[in-house]
Structure formats: structure tokens, C-alpha cells
Amino acid sequence: RLNPSALVPALLQGRALPPSKKAVRTEKELTAAERERLRKESFELEVPEGVYFNGSNYLDFSGEVMKEHPAMPDLVAAFLKDENQEAGRHNEEVERRAAAEEEAVQQCVLQAAKSLQY
């Protein structure tokens, strides 16, 4: 005898895989291209009072030398916040679709069981 609980999932194995969830990203996971883009964006920002750019480094009046704009940590944080919010929306949609898919499979199993008079 055919078992609907085994038959329906077996028949549905050929369907396209659902999208995978996106991981929350951290600063360490920024690509070189993303960091470079943020660095270029930082060139358009004003430097804070007491800091100047000498053409290759940022310096403050106490003599501290910084390779990146002092606002770079804020740019990175804002970028990651946007990326992670988008990942959260994506993951919610993946979960919603997975739940709907599971419900559809269960309905198929019930219909198959009725059709096979289990």
C-alpha cells in the first residue's frame, strides 16, 4: 500500500530549493570592495574640528595619525545596520515561505490520504 506521508514529500523533492537565510554580518565580514566604497564616501564628509587631512592620513592636534576618516566606524555601523535589517526582512520572508510550503505539503498528504482511502 502507498503511504501518503512518504509519497507526497518524495514527489515534491524535485521542486526548486527555497532560498537560504542570510547571516547577520559583522565588520570583519566586510569585503574589500565594500570597505573601499565606504572609504570613498568618507572623503565627502567634513573632518571633525581639530582634525585635518594631509592628503594621505588624518591627523589631530595631539599628533594622533589615523589612516581612515574619524567617521569611518559610524559609516561601517550604518552600512551593517542596513545590511542586517535587509537580511532580517529576507529571513522573515524565507521563514514565512517555509511555513506556507509545509502547510501545503500537509494539505497534499491529507488529500492523498483521502484519495487513497487511508
Side-chain angles (χ1 to χ4, degrees), residues 53-92:
F53 185 64
N54 69 3
S56 57
N57 294 307
Y58 294 89
L59 297 102
D60 67 14
F61 289 125
S62 68
E64 180 182 355
V65 177
M66 298 164 273
K67 293 282 186 195
E68 297 179 325
H69 191 287
M72 190 67 165
D74 295 333
L75 289 172
V76 169
F79 174 79
L80 289 172
K81 180 181 178 186
D82 290 346
E83 286 281 305
N84 289 332
Q85 284 177 340
E86 174 56 34
R89 287 188 292 273
H90 171 83
N91 292 345
E92 287 172 4

Side-chain angles (χ1 to χ4, degrees), residues 34-43 68 72:
E34 290 167 337
R35 185 166 284 285
E36 180 61 19
R37 192 188 73 185
L38 292 171
R39 190 182 69 77
K40 286 180 180 177
E41 281 180 32
S42 75
F43 291 150
E68 297 179 325
M72 190 67 165

Side-chain angles (χ1 to χ4, degrees), residues 7-118:
L7 177 63
V8 171
L11 291 173
L12 295 175
Q13 281 183 346
R15 67 182 179 239
L17 293 174
S20 58
K21 287 186 174 184
K22 293 182 178 179
V24 173
R25 296 182 64 199
T26 65
E27 185 174 353
K28 291 179 181 178
E29 295 164 325
L30 283 177
T31 66
E34 290 167 337
R35 185 166 284 285
E36 180 61 19
R37 192 188 73 185
L38 292 171
R39 190 182 69 77
K40 286 180 180 177
E41 281 180 32
S42 75
F43 291 150
E44 297 174 17
L45 301 175
E46 301 236 356
V47 292
E49 192 171 317
V51 175
Y52 70 96
F53 185 64
N54 69 3
S56 57
N57 294 307
Y58 294 89
L59 297 102
D60 67 14
F61 289 125
S62 68
E64 180 182 355
V65 177
M66 298 164 273
K67 293 282 186 195
E68 297 179 325
H69 191 287
M72 190 67 165
D74 295 333
L75 289 172
V76 169
F79 174 79
L80 289 172
K81 180 181 178 186
D82 290 346
E83 286 281 305
N84 289 332
Q85 284 177 340
E86 174 56 34
R89 287 188 292 273
H90 171 83
N91 292 345
E92 287 172 4
E93 178 63 16
V94 168
E95 289 174 8
R96 186 194 66 72
R97 288 174 63 184
E101 183 73 20
E102 181 59 30
E103 176 64 27
V105 168
Q106 292 306 314
Q107 291 300 318
C108 287
V109 169
L110 289 174
Q111 187 59 42
K114 286 179 187 177
S115 296
L116 296 171
Q117 297 182 11
Y118 255 88

